[in-house]
Amino acid sequence: MVKETVKQLCKQHTELTDQDVQILQEMAFSLQTYADLSDSYMFIDCKLKPSNQAIVVAEAFPVGSTPLYNNSVIGKIVFESFEPGVFYSYRNGKKSIIRQAMTQEGIVVDQTVVPIKNTNHQVIGVLISEKQVVSPTPTGNVQKFSVVTETAEDQMTNSGLGVVSDLLMEMLILTDESNRLVYANPSGLRLISEMSEKDDVLNRDLLELLPFLRTVYEQEDDVFVFELTIQRKNLIVKKIRMREKNKSQETLLIIQDITELRTKEKELMMKSVVIKEIHHRVKNNLQTVASLIRLQMRKGMPAESRSSFEETLNRIYSISSVYEIILTKEHADDDDVNIINLTRKICSTMVLNEYNLKVDLIIEPNNNKIVTTSKKAVSIALIVNELIQNSLKHAFQGKEEGIIDVEFTVENDFVEIHVSDNGVGMKNPQTSLGTEIIHNLVTNDLNGEFLYVPREIGTHAVVNFPVGAEVEIFDE
Ligand SMILES: Nc1ncnc2c1ncn2[C@@H]1O[C@H](COP(=O)(O)OP(=O)(O)O)[C@@H](O)[C@H]1O
Ligand SMILES: [Mg+2]
């Protein structure tokens, strides 16, 4: 029975796998024992499919105790603003202890939440244990909440709550059992007057003044959170029904105006659309330039010019690789580029027509993940491209095969890129455009050094540059 409920709720409302559900079912099965043993109220909550809310899938109340909850809470939606501990454990996979937490039902409890994990260490639910806090005075707990009944103003002033609620940005609105307005803090009053275009609002039916709140009031749940868009305003409305024994039912609304936040979000979204569009255009334009060069090459040209054109093509492709990587990202303003992936891309797009060679190109990240901004990535792309091209072009003359090795190391906050080959080695090198490009980029853009390390066979070039604020290293 318990297991069946867990299964049904999980299937209907969550994205958990059958295996995950099974783990929760086992736990739900033993929940009563835990509750009796620790003499506390136990629950299992799971995250809802699309939203950030959670749902109660199992509960157990200790035998023989005075009931903390009048009704079963299975199937109830749990909102983050009311149960922060639940969501903390969910996100961080850690235990959370909250003393004197106010539950969604308006009861003060000591609450302990631990994450429930599957074999892959993913949090699939949380186990909650609650013990009611026995209040020292009879006017504890729920009373604290309902100081604004009857003689609303007096009590607000006496308790000091009046001052606090006056300062709140949130709008507080309290209505009696027939939905008449009995209290509103200044920002609440402002909202009501502004939206209803009436000044004299006290003691009037709130739902006549603000008809859009009807859906919130009609909701049966005692606690309900709702986002409304009305007259170009975005509001988050929290409704809390305050039940007290032998007393009428009052409703407290806590309303947050999040119009500005939503506008900012939209602006940011627009901005990232524009950025993405610009990246697209840059990439497309680079590809057009490359196509024009290819066209020129096909139309025929002196043999000695061919290799210069190919080198130019490769330079364009390596810049374009940076944009290709950025464009695969989900967030357009995230322009971080993983330079090992970038190197792989450059190697795979390099034009090798000129060289009839069988080359093994080995990339060794050494477990490093090096991430940098697109600006730095363009420089690194061009440098790596020049070095690999040099090996291809000069190292293996008269040979049929060879090895080129690109290695990344990180030491003492310096990144080193080693490009080495087992070719003929440098013989009276004459610096030309390639070397000039490398030197310029390494010193000016990367603030680093470029040098050749002597070796017996072949050539070994090293570029090193400081990690700095724009480069991030991750151990993989
Ligand atoms: N891996 C290498 N193996 C052998 N010689 C190289 C290597 N890299 C560079 N060189 C030498 O250094 C010279 C300068 O390189 P570079 O400035 O890139 O000019 P380019 O590649 O246009 O000739 C090359 O002409 C070549 O003689
Ligand atoms: Mg060169």
Side-chain angles (χ1 to χ4, degrees):
M1 176 52 191
V2 177
K3 283 187 172 181
E4 204 42 47
T5 315
V6 173
K7 192 170 165 184
Q8 262 182 14
L9 286 171
C10 288
K11 280 271 160 284
Q12 207 176 340
H13 299 288
T14 72
E15 279 172 335
L16 295 172
T17 64
D18 288 346
Q19 275 167 338
D20 293 345
V21 175
Q22 219 166 2
I23 298 173
L24 296 175
Q25 281 181 306
E26 295 305 327
M27 202 158 277
F29 187 70
S30 320
L31 209 59
Q32 186 63 52
T33 319
Y34 299 151
D36 289 337
L37 178 73
S38 60
D39 210 17
S40 50
Y41 291 73
M42 309 278 313
F43 306 90
I44 296 177
D45 288 7
C46 296
K47 267 254 176 76
L48 279 184
K49 217 181 289 175
S51 71
N52 247 348
Q53 290 145 9
I55 183 166
V56 184
V57 297
E59 66 185 2
F61 303 164
V63 172
S65 60
T66 41
L68 188 54
Y69 296 89
N70 288 332
N71 302 311
S72 163
V73 293
I74 286 186
K76 262 201 150 185
I77 305 298
V78 180
F79 298 104
E80 175 157 14
S81 33
F82 291 103
E83 306 255 325
V86 169
F87 291 86
Y88 171 84
S89 286
Y90 234 110
R91 280 200 199 107
N92 304 308
K94 290 189 187 145
K95 179 174 174 176
S96 111
I97 301 174
I98 299 187
R99 300 255 171 256
Q100 312 229 338
M102 173 78 75
T103 68
Q104 264 182 217
E105 288 69 24
I107 305 158
V108 179
V109 294
D110 280 347
Q111 187 191 57
T112 309
V113 185
V114 287
I116 305 169
K117 296 181 184 173
N118 62 12
T119 43
N120 298 330
H121 307 288
Q122 291 160 322
V123 182
I124 56 172
V126 291
L127 184 64
I128 302 158
S129 149
E130 287 177 359
K131 262 188 188 177
Q132 182 159 25
V133 177
V134 188
S135 74
T137 57
T139 53
N141 315 344
V142 185
Q143 285 277 320
K144 253 198 277 177
F145 237 123
S146 45
V147 281
V148 275
T149 53
E150 298 146 343
T151 49
E153 273 207 82
D154 274 1
Q155 295 203 28
M156 288 290 285
T157 322
N158 289 343
S159 63
L161 256 185
V163 185
V164 177
S165 57
D166 279 4
L167 297 173
L168 281 181
M169 298 275 285
E170 275 101 347
M171 300 143 222
L172 299 183
I173 296 171
L174 186 77
T175 56
D176 66 8
E177 73 279 8
S178 42
N179 303 337
R180 278 199 309 260
L181 182 70
V182 291
Y183 171 77
N185 70 344
S187 52
L189 208 58
R190 216 173 308 131
L191 178 87
I192 301 171
S193 317
E194 189 184 321
M195 299 198 99
S196 65
E197 294 178 0
K198 293 193 174 68
D199 288 331
D200 174 27
V201 292
L202 209 69
N203 273 322
R204 291 183 60 165
D205 186 339
L206 185 70
L207 300 185
E208 268 173 29
L209 293 167
L210 307 177
F212 61 84
L213 286 176
R214 197 167 287 278
T215 40
V216 182
Y217 271 74
E218 276 169 3
Q219 256 297 328
E220 270 176 30
D221 287 342
D222 283 349
V223 168
F224 190 65
V225 183
F226 203 73
E227 191 170 332
L228 280 171
T229 306
I230 195 91
Q231 294 176 21
R232 298 193 177 193
K233 267 190 200 300
N234 295 91
L235 304 174
I236 291 185
V237 183
K238 290 181 196 162
K239 179 196 77 172
I240 305 164
R241 281 251 159 78
M242 287 175 299
R243 295 181 199 278
E244 252 187 285
K245 278 194 193 104
N246 314 323
K247 262 195 155 176
S248 55
Q249 192 183 77
E250 293 175 329
T251 305
L252 177 67
L253 296 180
I254 304 171
I255 305 178
Q256 251 172 308
D257 187 346
I258 53 158
T259 315
E260 211 172 312
L261 188 74
R262 289 281 177 270
T263 317
K264 288 253 157 65
E265 274 174 6
K266 265 187 221 144
E267 277 171 13
L268 275 178
M269 213 136 61
M270 282 304 292
K271 198 178 122 207
S272 58
V273 170
V274 172
I275 292 173
K276 201 155 195 154
E277 176 61 27
I278 291 172
H279 285 160
H280 252 294
R281 284 194 201 168
V282 172
K283 191 193 101 184
N284 289 349
N285 287 344
L286 285 170
Q287 269 163 5
T288 310
V289 174
S291 306
L292 288 171
I293 294 175
R294 278 181 170 285
L295 206 64
Q296 175 88 64
M297 286 170 76
R298 246 181 279 139
K299 288 276 175 203
M301 59 166 52
E304 64 273 19
S305 314
R306 257 197 113 73
S307 87
S308 309
F309 271 72
E310 273 182 5
E311 277 182 28
T312 306
L313 262 184
N314 283 335
R315 283 172 193 140
I316 295 167
Y317 285 144
S318 52
I319 299 174
S320 165
S321 299
V322 174
Y323 288 92
E324 271 170 43
I325 288 179
I326 299 170
L327 280 168
T328 59
K329 302 231 164 175
E330 208 175 307
H331 298 286
D333 23 5
D334 170 9
D335 75 339
D336 284 351
V337 179
N338 177 333
I339 64 171
I340 288 145
N341 291 349
L342 176 66
T343 306
R344 289 209 175 92
K345 207 168 189 82
I346 293 169
C347 294
S348 68
T349 47
M350 199 167 275
V351 183
L352 302 168
N353 300 346
E354 184 74 2
Y355 322 100
N356 283 326
L357 272 173
K358 189 188 164 298
V359 174
D360 276 335
L361 229 163
I362 304 164
I363 297 172
E364 293 182 71
N366 286 321
N367 294 332
N368 293 310
K369 181 179 169 193
I370 305 163
V371 169
T372 184
T373 56
S374 57
K375 185 169 179 284
K376 277 217 155 91
V378 167
S379 305
I380 294 169
L382 282 166
I383 293 163
V384 169
N385 169 63
E386 284 311 319
L387 291 172
I388 296 176
Q389 282 211 86
N390 273 357
S391 289
L392 285 168
K393 188 174 165 191
H394 308 294
F396 308 116
Q397 275 166 358
K399 292 193 175 190
E400 279 173 8
E401 54 182 36
I403 301 172
I404 302 174
D405 189 88
V406 187
E407 195 183 343
F408 296 84
T409 62
V410 180
E411 217 162 306
N412 299 334
D413 285 338
F414 269 82
V415 177
E416 286 185 3
I417 307 175
H418 300 256
V419 179
S420 43
D421 61 57
N422 62 348
V424 295
M426 305 270 272
K427 293 178 201 139
N428 321 316
Q430 306 226 314
T431 44
S432 137
L433 179 61
T435 318
E436 231 169 83
I437 291 176
I438 301 173
H439 265 294
N440 273 337
L441 294 174
V442 171
T443 32
N444 299 337
D445 286 4
L446 299 181
N447 233 340
E449 276 177 342
F450 166 59
L451 52 119
Y452 284 103
V453 181
R455 63 187 255 162
E456 266 176 43
I457 303 168
T459 311
H460 179 181
V462 186
V463 173
N464 70 44
F465 57 91
V467 169
E470 286 178 310
V471 184
E472 269 182 280
I473 312 287
F474 303 91
D475 263 339
E476 285 222 305

